[in-house]
Amino acid sequence: ALALDGTQRAEIKNPRLLNSFGEALSQNVNANQQVQISADIVNKQESPQAFVYIVQIIDGAGVTYKLTWISASLNPQQSLSPAISWNPTKPGTYTAQIYVWDSIKDANALAQKTELKILVS
């Protein structure tokens, strides 16, 4: 079997916004509406993998508005759909950048970064 390295070790699929009940939302939300930024993370390896799910929200000017992460682990070929809560306070166009790294300390990417545009009115 080939060993997977770099950003082939995991996959980020289906980035989306959810409400507090886990139901899908459009990418147009209201200010002060709490949303969950979620994606499906798949461990493409034959061994368990600890990871951090990182969401960085940047505003239209490219300024980081929020940066947060959660840690978890996946068994071989397992998938998980972590979610980060966000309550936008100002209208505007934002981009949620989603990363999956092995750890905050080592910062080795396990998957290609994914982005999700969010319009707040």
Side-chain angles (χ1 to χ4, degrees):
L2 291 173
L4 298 175
D5 61 359
T7 57
Q8 299 176 333
R9 292 178 286 177
E11 185 177 13
I12 305 170
K13 300 190 298 189
N14 192 22
R16 61 201 179 274
L17 292 179
L18 304 173
N19 67 16
S20 55
F21 301 106
E23 299 163 334
L25 295 171
S26 76
Q27 289 172 242
N28 300 318
V29 299
N30 297 316
N32 299 308
Q33 175 184 358
Q34 185 171 347
V35 298
Q36 307 286 324
I37 300 166
S38 183
D40 303 328
I41 310 303
V42 181
N43 179 7
K44 298 174 75 177
Q45 303 172 94
E46 296 301 327
S47 57
Q49 176 68 58
F51 71 94
V52 286
Y53 174 77
I54 304 163
V55 175
Q56 175 175 254
I57 299 171
I58 56 175
D59 66 15
V63 175
T64 298
Y65 192 79
K66 177 176 179 143
L67 176 62
T68 191
W69 63 86
I70 54 177
S71 302
S73 64
L74 286 169
N75 287 320
Q77 307 301 321
Q78 182 185 15
S79 83
L80 183 68
S81 301
I84 296 281
S85 179
W86 180 46
N87 190 353
T89 56
K90 293 192 276 188
T93 301
Y94 298 86
T95 302
Q97 298 176 327
I98 301 170
Y99 301 87
V100 174
W101 291 353
D102 61 348
S103 69
I104 292 294
K105 179 177 173 264
D106 295 331
N108 293 309
L110 299 175
Q112 294 286 337
K113 169 185 82 169
T114 298
E115 293 187 343
L116 179 64
K117 291 272 187 229
I118 305 168
L119 302 171
V120 179
S121 49

